[in-house]
Amino acid sequence: MEWESHRWYYSVMPTASPVIAYANDFQFGRRQRIHNPCVRSRMVLWSRAGRGRVRVDGQEWDFQPGDVCLLPWKHDIQYTADAREPFFLAGIHIIPHQNPGLPFVGLVAHRPGELPELADKRRDAPWPGLKGLKRGRFDGEPALKSLCEYIVRHWHGERPKEAKQRVLARLLVEELTKFFNRPSEPHLALPPDLQRALQFIDSHLAQPVYLTEAARVAGRSLSWLHRQFRDQLHTSPMEFVIAARIKRAKTLLATSNLSVGEIGQAVGIADPYYFSKLFTARVGQPPTSYRRQASLF
């Protein structure tokens, strides 16, 4: 993502600590592709809407609403937006360490040779539990999502002050550490080929889920996949998909301003009447009632 070329200069705090160097959001055009070969930051990247693919240091995957990742220092990233629903992404650039006593620059190098005056003054730093590329979803983590969204809104609003960017950076790193090191989901103990099938299903909930494709991703047959759901998960593939869609819908109802119909579409149930009926049957209350209850302080 190419951030706008604005700079702010401040005197730095006397002690070295992570600092947010830039935060922004970007609506891609259809099929738009952006390649940044050397981003000198650790970047938190998430999808608000739409679809596309992201490739980071040779790893490529579908990037959909609710997906979030933490990218390594000096990462090579390419964004490719969907032809029909281009994604709307947001990101926060964190500098793990900048030499104390230097002016702070609110800008990040995206290519070799950019900002040469900062090349030897900014560097990576060890973050326990956050080594390399980390991927996840905001599902069930409204606090982390709210913090990320607040940082982006803050950057768009008042002129950012470095002291506050350092406080927010510390808080964000703490929350990211908790998020990416929380206890593993039960399905992570499953066979790797079944995990691949489950990850495929989870990343395609907004679309018709074709089990034959999930089996292909796992490198197995469709009959094998059905047996694995029965023996390992004690459920059917269709029941698993419905439960996953309802779980994601609950998260979206609690953490977004999307309409009930839009949330239904986001979880692969385009008919708003059917979505409300199914949600009510599974959760025990209509989507609107669940949202009111989840929004109470």
Side-chain angles (χ1 to χ4, degrees):
M1 205 179 306
E2 188 79 271
W3 306 120
E4 298 172 3
S5 297
H6 299 314
R7 298 190 183 199
W8 296 276
Y9 294 86
Y10 306 102
S11 60
V12 300
M13 297 173 67
T15 58
S17 63
V19 62
I20 295 170
Y22 203 80
N24 201 5
D25 47 25
F26 189 84
Q27 174 62 66
F28 281 73
R30 294 180 178 180
R31 295 192 179 91
Q32 183 174 1
R33 180 174 294 179
I34 294 176
H35 179 211
N36 294 317
C38 186
V39 184
R40 296 179 65 88
S41 76
R42 295 218 66 186
M43 183 184 183
V44 184
L45 176 72
W46 69 99
S47 175
R48 289 175 172 162
R51 310 200 184 314
R53 291 186 66 78
V54 171
R55 189 185 72 207
V56 176
D57 295 340
Q59 298 185 49
E60 187 171 359
W61 66 93
D62 291 330
F63 208 55
Q64 303 192 34
D67 288 349
V68 59
C69 55
L70 176 64
L71 309 182
W73 179 257
K74 296 177 68 175
H75 56 271
D76 178 319
I77 183 166
Q78 178 173 294
Y79 309 87
T80 304
D82 186 76
R84 292 187 299 175
E85 300 178 73
F87 43 30
F88 179 31
L89 304 184
I92 301 169
H93 291 276
I94 310 172
I95 305 300
H97 173 79
Q98 177 173 292
N99 290 353
L102 299 169
F104 177 75
V105 181
L107 196 63
V108 174
H110 284 62
R111 295 174 179 80
E114 288 186 343
L115 302 178
E117 68 276 18
L118 295 176
D120 61 348
K121 300 176 179 64
R122 289 177 169 180
R123 62 172 173 80
D124 197 10
W127 290 352
L130 294 178
K131 184 177 180 181
L133 171 65
K134 295 290 185 179
R135 293 171 52 191
R137 288 191 55 81
F138 275 137
D139 296 346
E141 294 293 335
L144 175 61
K145 181 179 180 182
S146 296
L147 175 60
C148 290
E149 293 287 357
Y150 169 78
I151 291 171
V152 172
R153 289 197 303 271
H154 171 70
W155 200 278
H156 284 333
E158 62 184 272
R159 180 172 174 168
K161 296 178 174 58
E162 187 194 351
K164 187 171 184 178
Q165 297 309 313
R166 289 192 180 275
V167 171
L168 288 173
R170 291 192 202 101
L171 179 59
L172 181 55
V173 173
E174 289 177 6
E175 292 300 319
L176 289 168
T177 302
K178 294 176 187 176
F179 175 74
F180 286 114
N181 291 279
R182 58 189 173 179
S184 300
E185 296 292 334
H187 73 261
L188 295 182
L190 298 173
D193 39 13
L194 180 56
Q195 289 185 41
R196 289 196 297 273
L198 296 181
Q199 289 167 0
F200 172 83
I201 291 172
D202 183 71
S203 65
H204 290 78
L205 288 178
Q207 306 158 13
V209 176
Y210 298 105
L211 295 179
T212 52
E213 184 65 14
R216 186 194 65 78
V217 169
R220 297 284 190 161
S221 66
L222 183 58
S223 60
W224 174 91
L225 185 61
H226 278 276
R227 287 196 304 272
Q228 290 295 303
F229 269 91
R230 181 193 64 206
D231 298 340
Q232 299 280 355
L233 301 173
H234 310 293
T235 187
S236 69
M238 187 53 63
E239 181 62 27
F240 180 89
V241 170
I242 292 173
R245 283 174 166 159
I246 294 300
K247 179 181 178 181
R248 186 165 301 175
K250 290 169 70 176
T251 299
L252 291 173
L253 285 165
T255 62
S256 79
N257 293 321
L258 295 174
S259 68
V260 171
E262 289 171 330
I263 289 175
Q265 290 183 338
V267 299
I269 307 174
D271 184 338
Y273 173 76
Y274 177 68
F275 169 67
S276 294
K277 183 178 179 180
L278 179 63
F279 188 93
T280 302
R282 294 298 178 117
V283 180
Q285 57 183 321
T288 50
S289 298
Y290 180 87
R291 167 170 271 168
R292 284 195 298 271
Q293 177 179 315
S295 300
L296 294 176
F297 290 96

